[in-house]
Amino acid sequence: MYTIGQFALFGRVSARMLRHYDAIGLLHPARVDPDSGYRHYDESQLATLGRIVALRELGIGLDQIRGIVDGSTSAAGTLALLVARRAELQSQVHDDQTRIARLDERIRRLEGEPAMDSTTEVELKAVPASQSLVTMTELV
């Protein structure tokens, strides 16, 4: 048996997090001393804690992890959850890449570089006014 501090150290979590996992029913200690209230964990629980930590590192929520750990989520359900999480992360990566491109463009502008490729030629042409344009006041 391991004390909560030892078990936390082995599992790469804090004792506070282990208390939280116990409170929400995710990982109960193997034994609680009735006099002191000290929690003790069994070596066999390290695998479960390892799964919890690994899934948390992937950004999976504790409610979803509970289903995986307690067996109420099937293997197919776990796979679907992981595929959905991957898609979510991929979308975030795409959004971040778009933001980076916009930042790069702003940085180039602030540094004085032209916004367009210097090999691009721009030709200005005069266009006669059109009589068929409707003004905004006519639409309202």
Side-chain angles (χ1 to χ4, degrees), residues 12-90:
R12 301 175 306 157
V13 297
S14 66
R16 181 175 177 251
M17 190 57 60
L18 287 173
R19 287 185 196 95
H20 179 65
Y21 291 166
D22 182 22
I24 65 171
L26 185 58
L27 180 62
H28 297 293
R31 184 174 84 75
V32 177
D33 186 288
D35 296 325
S36 65
Y38 287 171
R39 295 169 169 89
H40 294 86
Y41 293 84
D42 187 71
E43 185 175 341
S44 65
Q45 292 179 290
L46 280 171
T48 301
L49 182 58
R51 288 180 77 193
I52 293 168
V53 169
L55 291 167
R56 283 300 295 146
E57 287 174 350
L58 295 175
I60 306 297
L62 292 176
D63 287 336
Q64 295 165 318
I65 291 172
R66 182 183 300 110
I68 294 169
V69 169
D70 70 14
S72 64
T73 301
S74 67
T78 300
L79 177 61
L81 175 70
L82 295 176
V83 168
R85 180 63 181 143
R86 184 185 190 290
E88 182 181 327
L89 290 172
Q90 191 65 43

